[in-house]
Amino acid sequence: MTALSVNVNKIAWLRNARGGDRPSVVDCTRTILDAGAAGITVHPRPDARHIRADDVYALKEVLAEYPGREFNIEGNPTAPARDDGYPGFDHLIETVRPDQCTLVPDDDAQLTSDHGWNLAHPRTVAQLEERVGRYQSWGARVSLFMDPAPVHIAAAKRLGADRIELYTGPYADIVTQRGIDHPEANNSWQRYRDAARYAKERGLGVNAGHDLDLVNLARFVSMGGIAEVSIGHALVADALEAGLAPTVKLYLEELES
């Protein structure tokens, strides 16, 4: 079955809106793991808009209480240290030693991650190649955030990545606008299916994430071969109505269907 990794960024974002420690990212993480999630994802941005470095260190301790659960840290590998307390992406991976790190080509101006790596640029390839090997030497599985474009997926394999994470925002947008049974939604789904198969044929594991929800999740993973989905915004939004633990279980049911 496809593993569910819950992104807790939005919980931290809500806490930061008022300061203090409510809601507690640590307590919510325990609730999520107790409900059966396979792991936790965080994306600590340099501007500290949601998850902060101190959260990452605290969650490392929480994950140690749950053997076999995965800690996935996302971010731009070129992000340097900041005066606001962000220690730099390299430092986080070296000190926390997560099970997986997902490398994302984002910057401070982006509201959220909205595209995969363009591996046609030699400088980008050189920067990533150096870090892929470095993070693997620190014990992390390395995944690259990718659009469903075979030319870039092939380049990810040459870089030495272990997995890719398919950026599923465009598929989710079409489903929202047209409906899950619309031909355009089916065409998009087939493009992702073909990209996933292409990656697996080249020995890459395949993750997926961005705007997956209770409407589109089961259909998306029905293509098979998706090792893990990372879901945050939609799951937290649903939890406002159904509660956090019941919502995690609803998502797990979708993955089993």
Side-chain angles (χ1 to χ4, degrees), residues 7-133:
N7 188 318
V8 295
N9 283 1
K10 274 300 179 336
I11 295 169
W13 176 83
L14 180 58
R15 174 203 61 193
N16 294 353
R18 284 288 295 268
D21 192 39
R22 189 177 185 212
S24 166
V25 175
V26 165
D27 290 347
C28 289
T29 292
R30 288 197 176 98
T31 298
I32 289 165
L33 295 173
D34 287 341
I40 296 295
T41 290
V42 294
H43 189 146
R45 292 176 178 270
D47 60 9
R49 69 180 73 167
H50 34 60
I51 285 290
R52 304 185 300 248
D54 59 320
D55 294 319
V56 179
Y57 302 135
L59 291 178
K60 173 182 170 63
E61 300 302 317
V62 174
L63 267 294
E65 301 169 12
Y66 293 83
R69 308 298 181 93
E70 181 187 273
F71 195 16
N72 174 43
I73 299 179
E74 298 180 343
N76 191 320
T78 65
R82 297 277 188 91
D83 292 338
D84 62 7
Y86 181 76
F89 191 80
D90 277 3
H91 182 79
L92 280 173
I93 302 305
E94 183 178 16
T95 54
V96 176
R97 305 292 174 105
D99 303 287
Q100 177 173 265
C101 60
T102 301
L103 311 187
V104 183
D106 62 1
D107 58 43
D108 285 0
Q110 289 176 232
L111 179 63
T112 184
S113 305
D114 59 14
H115 63 278
W117 289 101
N118 181 344
L119 299 182
H121 300 296
R123 182 180 178 184
T124 299
V125 170
Q127 290 174 331
L128 286 177
E129 188 170 32
E130 176 185 3
R131 286 175 168 85
V132 167

Side-chain angles (χ1 to χ4, degrees), residues 232-256:
H233 179 85
L235 191 150
V236 173
D238 289 334
L240 294 175
E241 298 178 359
L244 186 53
T247 299
V248 171
K249 292 176 181 178
L250 285 174
Y251 275 81
L252 290 171
E253 289 172 5
E254 288 297 303
L255 291 172
E256 291 173 352

